[in-house]
Amino acid sequence: MPGITGWVDHRRDLTREGHAAATMAAQLVARGRHREGRWVSRGAVLGVRSHDTDPGDGRPALAQLGGRPLAVVFDGYLQNADALRAELTDGAAVPRTDAELVLAAYLAWGIGAAERLDGFFAFALWDGRSEELLLCRDRFGVKPLSYLGTPDGLLFASEPAAIAAHPLVRPELDADGLCAVLAQVRAPGHGVLRGVREVRPAHLLRFRATGVSEHRYWELTAAPHTQDLTETIATARELLLEAIARDTVPDAAGGPATVLLSGGLDSSALTALVGERTGRAPRTFTVSFGDSSAPVPDRPFAQAVVDLLGCEHREVLVEAEELTDPLTTAAVLAGKDHPSPFGDKNITPYLFYRQVAEHTPVALSGEAADAVFGGLITEQEREATGHETFPWIERAQAFGMPHGIGNGLFEPGLLAKVGFSAFCAERFQEARAEVPHLPGARSDDRRAREIDYLHMTRLYEQAVNHSERLGTAAGLQIRFPFSDHRLFGYLYNVPWRMKSFDGRDKSLLRQISRDLLPASVLDRPKVPFPITYHRGYKQALADRLRDLLDDPGAPVLPLLDRAAARRMAQDPRLFDRGGWLGRADAEMVLQLDAWLRRLRVGLAW
């Protein structure tokens, strides 16, 4: 869970630049509040911040070869750490931490080490022998890692806020960056701030004085599926159990594994399978809002699972007043490091995770099951033709939001000026062209592959990455067994008619867990994460929006349709449009303004 950061410079003596390095590291407080470790040489600085519950010693891993230093900072965890230790020791000192394992793997296999690492991770490695920096992310990019080139080197960090804080950087939001914020999708390898890039998932980047090169160490492929339905169910089940085994750890006292249980199919199936794989009912946690929650409460469904499996269960109550606490909203924005229109859908998980972290440092989540098991495509979407944008933007348009969720208060002329529609169309065609297909595949299989691929590679930020960042900020390491590349790679190639063999979404997952769960859970319709309907929350949004409109220095003000924003601030009933979708417009404005202030971002178009 730590945050990592660093700086490489071919001209400056970085042993004299401690202030700039410390300034960057300070911005990673959301990823590590308690410990900071730093390694400094003339040409490179590597830093790491961590919570006191994080594994390892909170310091860079170091080695000396031929009088030249090597250093590694690491975020995440390796699922195959024990196997790597057994393979790499051979009479040598046993690497204790994951950072030391990465360093040992690099010394043994060079850049080929990346494909031998299993888990969710981001790391930076400085090789003083060749004076090059390596940056690497896991296969699905669960762990964040951004970088920015400078005239004489490169800055990198887990979060763009750390890069923006460097004294040499003038953070700016250009037209493409604003479009990326509003569309909630970015071009591969691109960040939101001008010039800031992201290490692409499943890529290793090499930075030398002569330039930057990228090495892709894993990719999704299309392949024929030759198994029948019975064999497919058995294989999917075995792959899922293996993924659970790699991610399941007992607590520090030897107690059962912990699962975040909503009462939906995904988390319930995970809970049951964890119990089967470990032989012990897991400990479970469910979030509750009391009387201000969504119309379909999770409590009875979660309780049915708990009663059947015999789980040690806790219900975490989130109070309405906690959702409007300015200290909490600031912590959430720092944790996400990115504005979004999701408001209490960000705040509630953070508060939930914070309370879970008081009982355990690690919990398992059912996130990503929808994309892996084909739960994100409706019958209408599968049969429709002539798609021009992402499925989630199409769904927003169906609700009367032509520019997507959360964009209703921006000045219409601005969206045309920055080319928002063209940006979305370009990103969609770019993503669609990447989708691996088989020649001659059926149209329903092509569409199903496309939607799964788009969600897994473009909307992941709103699911797994969303939970990872909020969990990390709360001091909880969340693991995602459904995000296993072997499982996804297999199911990606299962035909749509098998994924929905009983006429429903996620048919395979239902069949895998049919004998393990209550019928009420197996037959429960999918519902979104619950939100609060408390009157005080909507009133607080209206008050904050009114205060923003009355502040002539608010950085977001030039971007707004002020008349529309004023109407919403004066009439809280407008927040109820489409359930939570109306208030998403205000949430986006408030978060974007707070983010622009926090990072001191200038507007440039």
Side-chain angles (χ1 to χ4, degrees), residues 303-360:
Q303 193 62 51
V305 174
V306 168
D307 292 342
L308 178 65
L309 302 179
C311 302
E312 174 191 336
H313 184 65
R314 291 179 184 268
E315 191 172 277
V316 174
L317 180 63
V318 172
E319 301 286 356
E321 56 267 22
E322 293 182 278
L323 299 173
T324 57
D325 185 338
L327 294 180
T328 299
T329 56
V332 168
L333 182 62
K336 287 293 291 281
D337 201 27
H338 192 275
S340 77
F342 299 113
D344 65 311
K345 285 175 172 280
N346 292 333
I347 302 168
T348 298
Y350 171 77
L351 294 170
F352 175 48
Y353 300 152
R354 191 170 67 180
Q355 292 197 49
V356 174
E358 295 176 0
H359 302 275
T360 180

Short mmCIF file of all heavy atoms in Angstrom, two decimals, residues 303-360:
data_model
loop_
_atom_site.label_atom_id
_atom_site.label_comp_id
_atom_site.label_asym_id
_atom_site.label_seq_id
_atom_site.Cartn_x
_atom_site.Cartn_y
_atom_site.Cartn_z
N GLN A 303 -26.84 -10.86 5.66
CA GLN A 303 -27.12 -11.67 6.85
C GLN A 303 -27.45 -13.11 6.48
O GLN A 303 -27.07 -14.05 7.19
CB GLN A 303 -28.28 -11.06 7.64
CG GLN A 303 -28.43 -11.65 9.04
CD GLN A 303 -27.21 -11.41 9.91
OE1 GLN A 303 -26.73 -10.28 10.03
NE2 GLN A 303 -26.70 -12.47 10.51
N ALA A 304 -28.13 -13.30 5.36
CA ALA A 304 -28.44 -14.66 4.92
C ALA A 304 -27.16 -15.44 4.62
O ALA A 304 -27.06 -16.64 4.94
CB ALA A 304 -29.33 -14.61 3.67
N VAL A 305 -26.18 -14.79 4.03
CA VAL A 305 -24.89 -15.43 3.75
C VAL A 305 -24.17 -15.74 5.05
O VAL A 305 -23.63 -16.85 5.25
CB VAL A 305 -24.02 -14.52 2.85
CG1 VAL A 305 -22.62 -15.11 2.67
CG2 VAL A 305 -24.69 -14.33 1.50
N VAL A 306 -24.15 -14.78 5.95
CA VAL A 306 -23.48 -14.95 7.25
C VAL A 306 -24.09 -16.11 8.02
O VAL A 306 -23.38 -16.96 8.59
CB VAL A 306 -23.54 -13.64 8.06
CG1 VAL A 306 -23.11 -13.87 9.51
CG2 VAL A 306 -22.67 -12.58 7.41
N ASP A 307 -25.41 -16.17 8.04
CA ASP A 307 -26.09 -17.24 8.78
C ASP A 307 -25.79 -18.61 8.18
O ASP A 307 -25.60 -19.59 8.90
CB ASP A 307 -27.60 -16.99 8.79
CG ASP A 307 -27.99 -15.77 9.62
OD1 ASP A 307 -27.17 -15.33 10.45
OD2 ASP A 307 -29.12 -15.26 9.42
N LEU A 308 -25.78 -18.68 6.85
CA LEU A 308 -25.55 -19.97 6.20
C LEU A 308 -24.12 -20.46 6.42
O LEU A 308 -23.88 -21.64 6.68
CB LEU A 308 -25.84 -19.84 4.70
CG LEU A 308 -25.61 -21.11 3.86
CD1 LEU A 308 -26.59 -22.21 4.28
CD2 LEU A 308 -25.76 -20.81 2.38
N LEU A 309 -23.14 -19.54 6.32
CA LEU A 309 -21.73 -19.93 6.37
C LEU A 309 -21.14 -19.89 7.78
O LEU A 309 -20.08 -20.46 8.02
CB LEU A 309 -20.91 -19.03 5.45
CG LEU A 309 -21.31 -19.01 3.97
CD1 LEU A 309 -20.43 -18.05 3.19
CD2 LEU A 309 -21.24 -20.41 3.37
N GLY A 310 -21.82 -19.20 8.70
CA GLY A 310 -21.30 -19.09 10.05
C GLY A 310 -20.15 -18.10 10.19
O GLY A 310 -19.21 -18.33 10.97
N CYS A 311 -20.21 -17.00 9.44
CA CYS A 311 -19.14 -16.00 9.47
C CYS A 311 -19.18 -15.18 10.75
O CYS A 311 -20.25 -14.91 11.31
CB CYS A 311 -19.26 -15.05 8.28
SG CYS A 311 -19.21 -15.84 6.67
N GLU A 312 -18.01 -14.76 11.20
CA GLU A 312 -17.91 -13.71 12.22
C GLU A 312 -18.17 -12.40 11.50
O GLU A 312 -17.40 -12.02 10.62
CB GLU A 312 -16.53 -13.72 12.86
CG GLU A 312 -16.28 -12.59 13.84
CD GLU A 312 -14.83 -12.48 14.23
OE1 GLU A 312 -14.10 -13.49 14.15
OE2 GLU A 312 -14.41 -11.36 14.62
N HIS A 313 -19.23 -11.70 11.85
CA HIS A 313 -19.71 -10.59 11.03
C HIS A 313 -19.81 -9.30 11.83
O HIS A 313 -20.20 -9.31 13.00
CB HIS A 313 -21.08 -10.93 10.44
CG HIS A 313 -21.61 -9.90 9.50
ND1 HIS A 313 -21.01 -9.60 8.31
CD2 HIS A 313 -22.71 -9.09 9.58
CE1 HIS A 313 -21.70 -8.66 7.68
NE2 HIS A 313 -22.73 -8.32 8.44
N ARG A 314 -19.46 -8.20 11.17
CA ARG A 314 -19.63 -6.86 11.75
C ARG A 314 -20.32 -5.97 10.74
O ARG A 314 -20.01 -6.01 9.54
CB ARG A 314 -18.28 -6.24 12.12
CG ARG A 314 -17.58 -6.90 13.29
CD ARG A 314 -16.24 -6.22 13.56
NE ARG A 314 -15.50 -6.87 14.61
CZ ARG A 314 -15.57 -6.54 15.90
NH1 ARG A 314 -16.34 -5.53 16.27
NH2 ARG A 314 -14.87 -7.20 16.80
N GLU A 315 -21.25 -5.18 11.22
CA GLU A 315 -21.92 -4.18 10.39
C GLU A 315 -21.37 -2.81 10.74
O GLU A 315 -21.38 -2.42 11.91
CB GLU A 315 -23.42 -4.22 10.62
CG GLU A 315 -24.22 -3.41 9.62
CD GLU A 315 -25.71 -3.64 9.78
OE1 GLU A 315 -26.21 -4.63 9.23
OE2 GLU A 315 -26.34 -2.83 10.47
N VAL A 316 -20.86 -2.11 9.76
CA VAL A 316 -20.25 -0.80 9.97
C VAL A 316 -21.26 0.28 9.63
O VAL A 316 -21.72 0.38 8.49
CB VAL A 316 -18.98 -0.65 9.10
CG1 VAL A 316 -18.43 0.77 9.22
CG2 VAL A 316 -17.93 -1.67 9.50
N LEU A 317 -21.63 1.07 10.60
CA LEU A 317 -22.62 2.12 10.40
C LEU A 317 -21.93 3.43 10.02
O LEU A 317 -21.03 3.90 10.72
CB LEU A 317 -23.44 2.33 11.68
CG LEU A 317 -24.52 3.42 11.61
CD1 LEU A 317 -25.58 3.05 10.59
CD2 LEU A 317 -25.15 3.61 12.99
N VAL A 318 -22.34 3.99 8.90
CA VAL A 318 -21.86 5.30 8.46
C VAL A 318 -22.94 6.32 8.77
O VAL A 318 -24.06 6.24 8.27
CB VAL A 318 -21.53 5.30 6.96
CG1 VAL A 318 -21.20 6.71 6.47
CG2 VAL A 318 -20.37 4.36 6.67
N GLU A 319 -22.60 7.28 9.61
CA GLU A 319 -23.56 8.31 10.00
C GLU A 319 -23.62 9.41 8.95
O GLU A 319 -22.61 9.74 8.32
CB GLU A 319 -23.16 8.91 11.35
CG GLU A 319 -23.08 7.90 12.49
CD GLU A 319 -24.46 7.44 12.95
OE1 GLU A 319 -25.46 7.96 12.43
OE2 GLU A 319 -24.53 6.56 13.82
N ALA A 320 -24.80 9.99 8.77
CA ALA A 320 -24.99 11.02 7.74
C ALA A 320 -24.07 12.20 7.93
O ALA A 320 -23.52 12.75 6.96
CB ALA A 320 -26.45 11.47 7.74
N GLU A 321 -23.84 12.62 9.19
CA GLU A 321 -23.00 13.81 9.41
C GLU A 321 -21.54 13.56 9.05
O GLU A 321 -20.80 14.51 8.77
CB GLU A 321 -23.11 14.27 10.86
CG GLU A 321 -22.77 13.24 11.91
CD GLU A 321 -23.99 12.47 12.38
OE1 GLU A 321 -24.99 12.42 11.65
OE2 GLU A 321 -23.92 11.92 13.51
N GLU A 322 -21.11 12.29 9.05
CA GLU A 322 -19.73 12.00 8.66
C GLU A 322 -19.49 12.31 7.19
O GLU A 322 -18.36 12.64 6.79
CB GLU A 322 -19.42 10.53 8.91
CG GLU A 322 -19.41 10.08 10.35
CD GLU A 322 -19.05 8.61 10.47
OE1 GLU A 322 -19.95 7.77 10.30
OE2 GLU A 322 -17.86 8.32 10.72
N LEU A 323 -20.54 12.20 6.38
CA LEU A 323 -20.39 12.38 4.93
C LEU A 323 -20.13 13.83 4.55
O LEU A 323 -19.68 14.11 3.43
CB LEU A 323 -21.65 11.88 4.22
CG LEU A 323 -21.98 10.40 4.41
CD1 LEU A 323 -23.33 10.09 3.80
CD2 LEU A 323 -20.90 9.53 3.79
N THR A 324 -20.41 14.77 5.44
CA THR A 324 -20.22 16.18 5.13
C THR A 324 -19.09 16.80 5.93
O THR A 324 -18.87 18.01 5.85
CB THR A 324 -21.52 16.96 5.40
OG1 THR A 324 -21.91 16.78 6.77
CG2 THR A 324 -22.63 16.48 4.49
N ASP A 325 -18.37 16.01 6.69
CA ASP A 325 -17.23 16.52 7.47
C ASP A 325 -16.14 16.98 6.50
O ASP A 325 -15.64 16.19 5.69
CB ASP A 325 -16.71 15.41 8.37
CG ASP A 325 -15.60 15.89 9.32
OD1 ASP A 325 -14.95 16.91 9.01
OD2 ASP A 325 -15.39 15.24 10.36
N PRO A 326 -15.73 18.26 6.55
CA PRO A 326 -14.71 18.74 5.60
C PRO A 326 -13.38 18.02 5.72
O PRO A 326 -12.64 17.91 4.73
CB PRO A 326 -14.59 20.23 5.93
CG PRO A 326 -15.19 20.40 7.28
CD PRO A 326 -16.23 19.33 7.41
N LEU A 327 -13.03 17.52 6.91
CA LEU A 327 -11.79 16.76 7.04
C LEU A 327 -11.88 15.45 6.28
O LEU A 327 -10.90 15.01 5.65
CB LEU A 327 -11.50 16.49 8.52
CG LEU A 327 -11.20 17.72 9.38
CD1 LEU A 327 -10.92 17.30 10.83
CD2 LEU A 327 -10.01 18.49 8.83
N THR A 328 -13.05 14.84 6.30
CA THR A 328 -13.24 13.58 5.57
C THR A 328 -13.21 13.81 4.08
O THR A 328 -12.56 13.07 3.33
CB THR A 328 -14.57 12.92 5.98
OG1 THR A 328 -14.54 12.64 7.38
CG2 THR A 328 -14.79 11.64 5.22
N THR A 329 -13.92 14.83 3.60
CA THR A 329 -13.94 15.07 2.15
C THR A 329 -12.55 15.42 1.64
O THR A 329 -12.17 15.04 0.52
CB THR A 329 -14.94 16.19 1.80
OG1 THR A 329 -14.62 17.37 2.55
CG2 THR A 329 -16.36 15.77 2.14
N ALA A 330 -11.75 16.12 2.45
CA ALA A 330 -10.38 16.43 2.04
C ALA A 330 -9.53 15.17 1.98
O ALA A 330 -8.72 14.98 1.05
CB ALA A 330 -9.75 17.44 3.01
N ALA A 331 -9.71 14.28 2.96
CA ALA A 331 -8.95 13.03 2.96
C ALA A 331 -9.32 12.15 1.77
O ALA A 331 -8.46 11.50 1.17
CB ALA A 331 -9.20 12.28 4.27
N VAL A 332 -10.60 12.15 1.42
CA VAL A 332 -11.06 11.34 0.29
C VAL A 332 -10.49 11.87 -1.02
O VAL A 332 -10.02 11.10 -1.87
CB VAL A 332 -12.59 11.29 0.25
CG1 VAL A 332 -13.10 10.70 -1.06
CG2 VAL A 332 -13.12 10.47 1.43
N LEU A 333 -10.51 13.17 -1.21
CA LEU A 333 -9.97 13.75 -2.44
C LEU A 333 -8.47 13.47 -2.55
O LEU A 333 -7.96 13.15 -3.63
CB LEU A 333 -10.22 15.25 -2.48
CG LEU A 333 -9.73 15.96 -3.74
CD1 LEU A 333 -10.45 15.44 -4.98
CD2 LEU A 333 -9.92 17.47 -3.63
N ALA A 334 -7.75 13.58 -1.43
CA ALA A 334 -6.32 13.27 -1.44
C ALA A 334 -6.09 11.80 -1.77
O ALA A 334 -5.14 11.45 -2.49
CB ALA A 334 -5.69 13.63 -0.10
N GLY A 335 -6.97 10.93 -1.25
CA GLY A 335 -6.82 9.51 -1.53
C GLY A 335 -7.06 9.17 -2.98
O GLY A 335 -6.31 8.42 -3.59
N LYS A 336 -8.10 9.75 -3.58
CA LYS A 336 -8.38 9.49 -4.99
C LYS A 336 -7.40 10.22 -5.90
O LYS A 336 -7.06 9.74 -6.99
CB LYS A 336 -9.82 9.94 -5.33
CG LYS A 336 -10.92 9.05 -4.80
CD LYS A 336 -10.96 7.67 -5.45
CE LYS A 336 -11.38 7.70 -6.90
NZ LYS A 336 -12.81 7.84 -7.12
N ASP A 337 -6.96 11.41 -5.47
CA ASP A 337 -6.05 12.26 -6.25
C ASP A 337 -6.60 12.54 -7.65
O ASP A 337 -5.86 12.69 -8.61
CB ASP A 337 -4.66 11.63 -6.35
CG ASP A 337 -3.58 12.66 -6.67
OD1 ASP A 337 -3.76 13.85 -6.33
OD2 ASP A 337 -2.54 12.29 -7.27
N HIS A 338 -7.92 12.61 -7.73
CA HIS A 338 -8.55 12.80 -9.04
C HIS A 338 -10.00 13.18 -8.79
O HIS A 338 -10.68 12.52 -8.00
CB HIS A 338 -8.48 11.49 -9.84
CG HIS A 338 -8.84 11.65 -11.28
ND1 HIS A 338 -10.15 11.60 -11.72
CD2 HIS A 338 -8.09 11.83 -12.38
CE1 HIS A 338 -10.17 11.77 -13.04
NE2 HIS A 338 -8.93 11.90 -13.46
N PRO A 339 -10.51 14.21 -9.41
CA PRO A 339 -11.91 14.58 -9.20
C PRO A 339 -12.85 13.63 -9.94
O PRO A 339 -12.52 13.10 -11.00
CB PRO A 339 -11.99 16.00 -9.79
CG PRO A 339 -10.91 16.05 -10.81
CD PRO A 339 -9.81 15.15 -10.30
N SER A 340 -14.03 13.42 -9.37
CA SER A 340 -15.03 12.56 -10.00
C SER A 340 -16.41 13.04 -9.57
O SER A 340 -16.53 13.83 -8.63
CB SER A 340 -14.82 11.10 -9.59
OG SER A 340 -15.32 10.88 -8.29
N PRO A 341 -17.46 12.56 -10.22
CA PRO A 341 -18.81 13.00 -9.87
C PRO A 341 -19.50 12.11 -8.84
O PRO A 341 -20.70 12.17 -8.69
CB PRO A 341 -19.55 12.91 -11.21
CG PRO A 341 -18.92 11.75 -11.89
CD PRO A 341 -17.46 11.78 -11.47
N PHE A 342 -18.73 11.31 -8.09
CA PHE A 342 -19.35 10.25 -7.31
C PHE A 342 -19.57 10.56 -5.84
O PHE A 342 -20.17 9.77 -5.13
CB PHE A 342 -18.56 8.95 -7.49
CG PHE A 342 -18.53 8.50 -8.92
CD1 PHE A 342 -17.35 8.50 -9.64
CD2 PHE A 342 -19.70 8.15 -9.57
CE1 PHE A 342 -17.33 8.12 -10.96
CE2 PHE A 342 -19.69 7.77 -10.91
CZ PHE A 342 -18.50 7.76 -11.61
N GLY A 343 -19.12 11.68 -5.36
CA GLY A 343 -19.51 12.17 -4.04
C GLY A 343 -19.48 11.16 -2.93
O GLY A 343 -18.43 10.61 -2.61
N ASP A 344 -20.65 10.88 -2.34
CA ASP A 344 -20.67 9.95 -1.20
C ASP A 344 -20.35 8.52 -1.62
O ASP A 344 -20.07 7.68 -0.78
CB ASP A 344 -22.01 10.03 -0.47
CG ASP A 344 -23.18 9.55 -1.31
OD1 ASP A 344 -23.30 10.00 -2.45
OD2 ASP A 344 -23.98 8.74 -0.81
N LYS A 345 -20.38 8.23 -2.93
CA LYS A 345 -19.91 6.93 -3.38
C LYS A 345 -18.40 6.80 -3.21
O LYS A 345 -17.84 5.70 -3.28
CB LYS A 345 -20.28 6.70 -4.85
CG LYS A 345 -21.75 6.38 -5.09
CD LYS A 345 -22.03 6.29 -6.57
CE LYS A 345 -23.43 5.78 -6.85
NZ LYS A 345 -23.54 4.33 -6.73
N ASN A 346 -17.71 7.93 -3.02
CA ASN A 346 -16.31 7.93 -2.60
C ASN A 346 -16.18 7.97 -1.09
O ASN A 346 -15.37 7.26 -0.50
CB ASN A 346 -15.57 9.14 -3.18
CG ASN A 346 -15.40 9.09 -4.67
OD1 ASN A 346 -15.36 8.03 -5.27
ND2 ASN A 346 -15.31 10.26 -5.29
N ILE A 347 -16.99 8.81 -0.46
CA ILE A 347 -16.84 9.05 0.98
C ILE A 347 -17.24 7.83 1.79
O ILE A 347 -16.54 7.43 2.74
CB ILE A 347 -17.68 10.28 1.40
CG1 ILE A 347 -17.25 11.51 0.61
CG2 ILE A 347 -17.53 10.54 2.89
CD1 ILE A 347 -18.21 12.69 0.75
N THR A 348 -18.36 7.21 1.44
CA THR A 348 -18.84 6.06 2.21
C THR A 348 -17.84 4.90 2.21
O THR A 348 -17.54 4.35 3.28
CB THR A 348 -20.20 5.58 1.68
OG1 THR A 348 -21.15 6.64 1.84
CG2 THR A 348 -20.68 4.37 2.45
N PRO A 349 -17.29 4.49 1.05
CA PRO A 349 -16.29 3.41 1.11
C PRO A 349 -15.09 3.78 1.97
O PRO A 349 -14.58 2.93 2.70
CB PRO A 349 -15.89 3.22 -0.36
CG PRO A 349 -17.05 3.72 -1.13
CD PRO A 349 -17.62 4.84 -0.34
N TYR A 350 -14.63 5.03 1.89
CA TYR A 350 -13.49 5.44 2.71
C TYR A 350 -13.80 5.27 4.19
O TYR A 350 -12.99 4.72 4.95
CB TYR A 350 -13.13 6.89 2.40
CG TYR A 350 -12.11 7.48 3.34
CD1 TYR A 350 -10.75 7.18 3.22
CD2 TYR A 350 -12.51 8.34 4.36
CE1 TYR A 350 -9.83 7.71 4.11
CE2 TYR A 350 -11.59 8.88 5.24
CZ TYR A 350 -10.25 8.56 5.12
OH TYR A 350 -9.33 9.10 6.00
N LEU A 351 -14.97 5.73 4.63
CA LEU A 351 -15.34 5.60 6.03
C LEU A 351 -15.50 4.13 6.42
O LEU A 351 -15.13 3.72 7.53
CB LEU A 351 -16.64 6.36 6.30
CG LEU A 351 -16.56 7.89 6.16
CD1 LEU A 351 -17.96 8.50 6.20
CD2 LEU A 351 -15.67 8.49 7.24
N PHE A 352 -16.05 3.35 5.51
CA PHE A 352 -16.21 1.91 5.73
C PHE A 352 -14.84 1.25 5.89
O PHE A 352 -14.58 0.52 6.86
CB PHE A 352 -16.99 1.32 4.56
CG PHE A 352 -17.14 -0.17 4.58
CD1 PHE A 352 -17.54 -0.84 5.73
CD2 PHE A 352 -16.91 -0.91 3.43
CE1 PHE A 352 -17.71 -2.23 5.73
CE2 PHE A 352 -17.07 -2.29 3.42
CZ PHE A 352 -17.46 -2.95 4.57
N TYR A 353 -13.94 1.52 4.93
CA TYR A 353 -12.62 0.90 4.97
C TYR A 353 -11.85 1.33 6.22
O TYR A 353 -11.09 0.54 6.80
CB TYR A 353 -11.81 1.27 3.73
CG TYR A 353 -12.43 0.84 2.42
CD1 TYR A 353 -12.18 1.56 1.25
CD2 TYR A 353 -13.28 -0.26 2.33
CE1 TYR A 353 -12.74 1.18 0.04
CE2 TYR A 353 -13.84 -0.65 1.12
CZ TYR A 353 -13.56 0.08 -0.02
OH TYR A 353 -14.12 -0.29 -1.21
N ARG A 354 -12.02 2.56 6.63
CA ARG A 354 -11.30 3.06 7.80
C ARG A 354 -11.68 2.27 9.05
O ARG A 354 -10.83 1.95 9.88
CB ARG A 354 -11.58 4.55 7.99
CG ARG A 354 -10.67 5.22 9.01
CD ARG A 354 -10.83 6.72 8.98
NE ARG A 354 -12.14 7.17 9.43
CZ ARG A 354 -12.50 8.46 9.48
NH1 ARG A 354 -11.67 9.40 9.09
NH2 ARG A 354 -13.72 8.79 9.90
N GLN A 355 -12.97 1.93 9.16
CA GLN A 355 -13.39 1.15 10.32
C GLN A 355 -12.95 -0.31 10.20
O GLN A 355 -12.57 -0.95 11.19
CB GLN A 355 -14.90 1.24 10.51
CG GLN A 355 -15.37 2.63 10.93
CD GLN A 355 -16.78 2.60 11.50
OE1 GLN A 355 -17.08 1.79 12.37
NE2 GLN A 355 -17.63 3.50 11.01
N VAL A 356 -12.98 -0.86 8.98
CA VAL A 356 -12.50 -2.23 8.80
C VAL A 356 -11.02 -2.32 9.16
O VAL A 356 -10.56 -3.31 9.77
CB VAL A 356 -12.73 -2.69 7.35
CG1 VAL A 356 -12.11 -4.08 7.11
CG2 VAL A 356 -14.23 -2.73 7.03
N ALA A 357 -10.25 -1.29 8.82
CA ALA A 357 -8.81 -1.29 9.08
C ALA A 357 -8.49 -1.31 10.58
O ALA A 357 -7.36 -1.66 10.96
CB ALA A 357 -8.16 -0.06 8.44
N GLU A 358 -9.44 -0.96 11.41
CA GLU A 358 -9.22 -1.06 12.85
C GLU A 358 -9.19 -2.50 13.33
O GLU A 358 -8.73 -2.78 14.44
CB GLU A 358 -10.32 -0.29 13.59
CG GLU A 358 -10.30 1.22 13.33
CD GLU A 358 -11.45 1.93 14.00
OE1 GLU A 358 -12.26 1.25 14.67
OE2 GLU A 358 -11.56 3.17 13.85
N HIS A 359 -9.66 -3.43 12.49
CA HIS A 359 -9.73 -4.83 12.87
C HIS A 359 -8.76 -5.71 12.09
O HIS A 359 -8.38 -6.79 12.57
CB HIS A 359 -11.16 -5.35 12.65
CG HIS A 359 -12.19 -4.61 13.42
ND1 HIS A 359 -12.50 -4.90 14.73
CD2 HIS A 359 -12.99 -3.56 13.06
CE1 HIS A 359 -13.44 -4.06 15.15
NE2 HIS A 359 -13.76 -3.25 14.16
N THR A 360 -8.39 -5.30 10.89
CA THR A 360 -7.51 -6.11 10.05
C THR A 360 -6.78 -5.22 9.05
O THR A 360 -7.35 -4.21 8.61
CB THR A 360 -8.32 -7.18 9.30
OG1 THR A 360 -7.43 -7.96 8.48
CG2 THR A 360 -9.38 -6.56 8.40
#
